[in-house]
Amino acid sequence: MTYIRSQIVGCGHYLPSKILTNDDLSKIVETSDEWISERTGIKSRHIVAEDESTSDLCFHAAENALKNAGISASEVDVLIVATITPDNLTPSTATKVASRLGVQAGKPAFDISAACSGFVYAMTLADNMIRLGQAKNAIIVGAESLSRITDWTDRNTCVLFGDGAGAVVLQAQEGKGTIEDRGILTTKIYSDGAYYDSLKTTGGPSTTKSTGFLWMNGKEVFKFAIPAMASSIEAVVEEVKIGLEEIDWIIPHQANIRIIDGVAKKLDVDSEKVIVTVANQGNTSAATIPLALSESVASGKIKKGDLVVLTAMGAGFTWGGALIRF
Ligand code: UT7
């Protein structure tokens, strides 16, 4: 029996050129490089230029991913953008990016909103479309211009976020239905709206008629994040009946080095297997995982055949995991 797998055939990323350091931030709010480094592991983050928007970040990341895959935009069947900072509330950023890339008119393109879990959600949707035969080639992008919805007077949040984008091209390939197949082996996504107010923007079109700024109950998010991300990893690994020790790489959402270390400790996995980019990028929400994946593939760290697990947690709360044989 033929078994369709969604294989990652190309990765790309893009970071805006402007860099904001902790020392720069200490000139804006009452903070210090020491506090930010110790409490979050962040040293600097990238910030979009005045004339740059999320669709520009998506475009560059997706173009790089297509080049890496060696396919043209005209072969793409669906484009999904995970973001909470779209260019406009409507239409979706995905339609703008698809058109600029040269994806054929008529192909579906849409955004999804699942905050920091957005990329894992997008991967789940694209994988399902591919396995159902609705798409052969899919581009999924995680992209944010969080600096646009950051309250630059609030030291509790403004030190945490950054801007950037990462993209992957997924392609339908025949597999055997075993864990030796290359491609997405399984994904799991979750939400619990009881935590709706714990991490949010302070506004929205149907409430305040504005976007508002990012706000969070940091301690509550922190407490939830470690068990949620660890249990997502356990769930995908258990689903395909492998041991955690067989995993080559863990790519966790990059919000805080203490959360990342907490997940590794809870699972008792070697920290050398955990990919960390938070120091020079901060938290770029839906973009952290595809950025880390693309950088790790480009540097030769992640190789063909490696077992990679992704995990994220964010506003909603939403969380989830994905297991991939690269
Ligand atoms: O992607 C998912 C979304 N986000 C996250 O996952 C973030 C989750 N939360 C966190 O990472 C952490 O809770 C934070 C990094 C946000 C905060 O770290 P914390 O260790 O929980 O610090 P805290 O909020 O308990 O604050 C400790 C102290 C406070 O002072 P007092 O009340 O003890 O005098 C804060 O006012 O640190 C103060 N503080 C700061 N000081 C210098 C808060 N922000 C800053 C700052 N610089 N930027």
Side-chain angles (χ1 to χ4, degrees):
M1 201 180 86
T2 322
Y3 200 98
I4 301 296
R5 291 287 191 194
S6 312
Q7 232 177 61
I8 297 181
V9 293
C11 297
H13 63 273
Y14 177 80
L15 287 161
S17 57
K18 184 180 170 191
I19 292 173
L20 188 70
T21 65
N22 291 349
D23 287 334
D24 295 332
L25 277 164
S26 68
K27 291 175 193 131
I28 308 173
V29 287
E30 185 75 36
T31 191
S32 63
D33 175 45
E34 194 190 357
W35 191 96
I36 304 170
S37 303
E38 267 176 24
R39 297 291 185 126
T40 72
I42 301 166
K43 301 294 281 182
S44 62
R45 65 290 286 147
H46 292 253
I47 303 289
V48 280
E50 268 310 308
D51 60 354
E52 230 171 6
S53 65
T54 298
S55 69
D56 296 317
L57 308 184
C58 290
F59 172 76
H60 295 303
E63 197 181 39
N64 290 338
L66 282 170
K67 249 184 233 155
N68 185 239
I71 69 163
S72 95
S74 62
E75 296 171 78
V76 171
D77 301 305
V78 60
L79 188 147
I80 307 174
V81 173
T83 190
I84 55 165
T85 44
D87 285 20
N88 294 74
L89 190 64
T90 193
S92 69
T93 297
T95 55
K96 193 174 184 179
V97 177
S99 168
R100 190 169 162 198
L101 280 171
V103 173
Q104 286 177 46
K107 298 290 183 184
F110 57 95
D111 292 358
I112 61 154
S113 170
C116 303
S117 313
F119 190 77
V120 177
Y121 268 62
M123 182 171 265
T124 303
L125 296 187
D127 180 40
N128 288 340
M129 289 182 76
I130 286 173
R131 286 189 298 112
L132 280 171
Q134 294 174 337
K136 183 168 189 307
N137 293 308
I139 305 186
I140 51 173
V141 192
E144 303 289 2
S145 305
L146 294 178
S147 61
R148 298 277 202 254
I149 56 165
T150 296
D151 177 355
W152 292 102
T153 65
D154 176 16
R155 71 175 183 175
N156 289 298
T157 54
C158 76
V159 302
L160 304 174
F161 303 110
D163 302 334
V168 306
V169 178
L170 294 171
Q171 187 171 73
Q173 294 283 346
E174 277 185 22
K176 293 191 171 68
T178 70
I179 61 155
E180 299 312 319
D181 289 347
R182 287 186 57 220
I184 298 172
L185 300 178
T186 191
T187 67
K188 297 264 183 203
I189 49 176
Y190 311 91
S191 79
D192 185 352
Y195 295 92
Y196 186 89
D197 289 318
S198 302
L199 171 52
K200 61 180 185 181
T201 55
T202 52
S206 75
T207 50
T208 59
K209 303 179 198 164
S210 65
T211 54
F213 293 113
L214 285 165
W215 179 91
M216 75 169 110
N217 178 338
K219 280 204 188 317
E220 194 173 24
V221 180
F222 193 100
K223 239 172 74 189
F224 195 93
I226 296 174
M229 286 163 69
S231 65
S232 305
I233 293 178
E234 285 170 335
V236 291
V237 163
E238 274 165 26
E239 169 105 355
V240 300
K241 300 186 175 54
I242 59 165
L244 260 176
E245 66 287 352
E246 291 179 64
I247 300 293
D248 296 300
W249 301 104
I250 295 178
I251 306 184
H253 168 54
Q254 311 279 318
N256 185 323
I257 191 67
R258 288 155 55 214
I259 296 177
I260 296 170
D261 288 345
V263 172
K265 196 166 164 221
K266 194 165 175 62
L267 295 173
D268 194 22
V269 293
D270 185 350
S271 61
E272 303 238 309
K273 290 184 172 183
V274 183
I275 297 196
V276 180
T277 58
V278 73
N280 300 315
Q281 292 171 14
N283 179 352
T284 58
S285 191
T288 68
I289 291 177
L291 262 165
L293 175 66
S294 177
E295 284 191 346
S296 307
V297 171
S299 71
K301 213 174 199 182
I302 295 181
K303 297 182 182 61
K304 249 184 203 176
D306 283 355
L307 265 180
V308 182
V309 69
L310 319 178
T311 183
M313 179 270 161
F317 289 154
T318 54
W319 65 104
L323 180 65
I324 300 153
R325 188 172 294 282
F326 189 77

